[in-house]
Amino acid sequence: MLSHLPSLGVGLGFRQPFKSDLFLNRQQVDFLEIVAEHYLDASWQKQQELELLAAHFPIIPHAINLSLGSAEGLDTDYLRKLAALIKQLNPPWWSEHICFTKAGGVDIGHLSPLPYTQEAVEVLCRNIALLRRWIDVPLILENITYMVKLPGAEMTEAQFLAEVVERSDCGLLLDVTNLHTNAVNYGYDIHEFLQQLPCDRIVQLHFVGGHWHDGVLIDSHSQSTPLEVWQLMEEVVARVPVKGIILERDENLPPFAELTKELQKAREINRSYGRWG
């Protein structure tokens, strides 16, 4: 199923401040990723914005608050709204995070890591099976950054990611910046990590730069992409023909020309391996 997904190219996570620049540079942006929650219960203005974007770019919805790792299950009201948005856009795939954001009915406002256990895998797979009754569009799952490692792990993070996507039959949205950030902060071998992933399930990549704070690398989406992340992207692209690559810049937004330079660099990496471009 994943091998038959279309190749979308290189694009941007849409942010409203650069909307005008985006339309002035349409030829340099192949597709957009939207934060799904920005368009649930959308105002008339947001709905108009979404329709304008969808008329000019392929759109991939990226959800952040489904809380796939919640043992209490999914919020069906939220799921109903998300399903309606995805049906409206009819994307080739959509994405969420391997995490939880709700516990005991409380929204904790953060992408929180799960313990790397079989029980957590079972919870994720059960919730994904439920959401597929609502949404039949292919789902790809993203690896997150984390500030704490939960105790009781029964496998490595890479083995956990592999188990989740294989068992749930999902694709992988590999955030190479998140992977680099965790490897730096926790001192693991990034190349060994990649060896443990099912590369044939990697559908899309995220990339951007973060910043240092008190000796910790923070995934703040606030800086240009560092050399180490470019090198990691190249290592992944050399192994697998990914279907799409998204630059996620949220803070400290630079002139739009700097964003398009990064998109062009990602495009050139793909071309150098005979991929789309």
Side-chain angles (χ1 to χ4, degrees):
M1 178 182 68
L2 299 176
S3 64
H4 291 94
L5 293 176
S7 295
L8 297 186
V10 177
L12 282 169
F14 175 72
R15 306 297 180 256
Q16 203 281 331
F18 59 59
K19 182 167 71 173
S20 296
D21 285 318
L22 174 66
F23 280 94
L24 291 172
N25 295 271
R26 274 188 295 173
Q27 301 307 311
Q28 299 181 68
V29 180
D30 299 328
F31 75 112
L32 297 175
E33 183 182 77
I34 61 163
V35 176
E37 283 72 10
H38 292 172
Y39 302 93
L40 304 182
D41 296 319
S43 66
W44 178 84
Q45 290 87 350
K46 291 299 287 184
Q47 186 60 37
Q48 289 289 303
E49 177 181 84
L50 183 60
E51 291 174 6
L52 177 65
L53 296 175
H56 293 90
F57 299 93
I59 304 285
I60 297 296
H62 183 53
I64 60 176
N65 207 29
L66 187 53
S67 199
L68 287 174
S70 289
E72 64 210 63
L74 302 180
D75 179 337
T76 53
D77 184 52
Y78 171 95
L79 188 52
R80 183 181 298 108
K81 296 173 184 177
L82 180 62
L85 175 68
I86 293 172
K87 183 177 181 180
Q88 175 188 345
L89 292 170
N90 190 30
W93 67 81
W94 66 287
S95 57
E96 241 292 3
H97 302 80
I98 299 176
C99 71
F100 73 98
T101 60
K102 300 171 184 172
V106 177
D107 190 334
I108 61 178
H110 186 71
L111 304 178
S112 298
L114 294 160
Y116 304 140
T117 64
Q118 286 295 335
E119 183 179 11
V121 173
E122 295 292 341
V123 166
L124 284 161
C125 291
R126 183 170 66 244
N127 287 337
I128 291 168
L130 171 62
L131 75 83
R132 282 193 170 126
R133 299 178 195 170
W134 295 79
I135 303 169
D136 61 1
V137 174
L139 169 63
I140 64 174
L141 301 172
E142 180 179 359
N143 57 304
I144 68 166
T145 57
Y146 44 84
M147 299 306 293
V148 294
K149 294 179 75 173
L150 299 183
E154 299 167 357
M155 60 194 89
T156 67
E157 180 188 358
Q159 290 168 339
F160 180 74
L161 295 178
E163 181 87 358
V164 169
V165 295
E166 294 281 11
R167 286 275 307 278
S168 65
D169 195 24
C170 288
L172 182 60
L173 167 47
L174 183 63
D175 189 315
V176 288
T177 298
N178 289 356
L179 179 50
H180 167 68
T181 301
N182 290 338
V184 167
N185 289 337
Y186 295 99
Y188 60 68
D189 187 320
I190 208 163
H191 309 292
E192 182 180 325
F193 189 106
L194 284 177
Q195 291 284 356
Q196 296 181 61
L197 293 181
C199 286
D200 60 327
R201 289 194 173 271
I202 299 174
V203 173
Q204 185 186 318
L205 306 180
H206 276 169
F207 73 105
V208 71
H211 73 276
W212 288 91
H213 180 73
D214 288 342
V216 176
L217 184 55
I218 305 297
D219 174 39
S220 55
H221 296 190
S222 62
Q223 304 296 324
S224 59
T225 306
L227 175 62
E228 296 88 347
V229 172
W230 287 119
Q231 292 172 336
L232 183 54
M233 180 190 294
E234 185 163 1
E235 184 173 347
V236 173
V237 169
R239 296 183 184 207
V240 60
V242 299
K243 305 293 186 177
I245 300 178
I246 285 286
L247 172 60
E248 288 189 301
R249 189 69 179 261
D250 287 292
E251 298 180 13
N252 190 29
L253 291 176
F256 199 78
E258 292 187 25
L259 300 180
T260 58
K261 284 181 183 177
E262 292 204 59
L263 298 185
Q264 184 59 25
K265 185 169 182 176
R267 192 173 281 113
E268 288 169 357
I269 289 174
N270 277 269
R271 284 176 178 162
S272 70
Y273 288 93
R275 313 301 190 200
W276 41 259

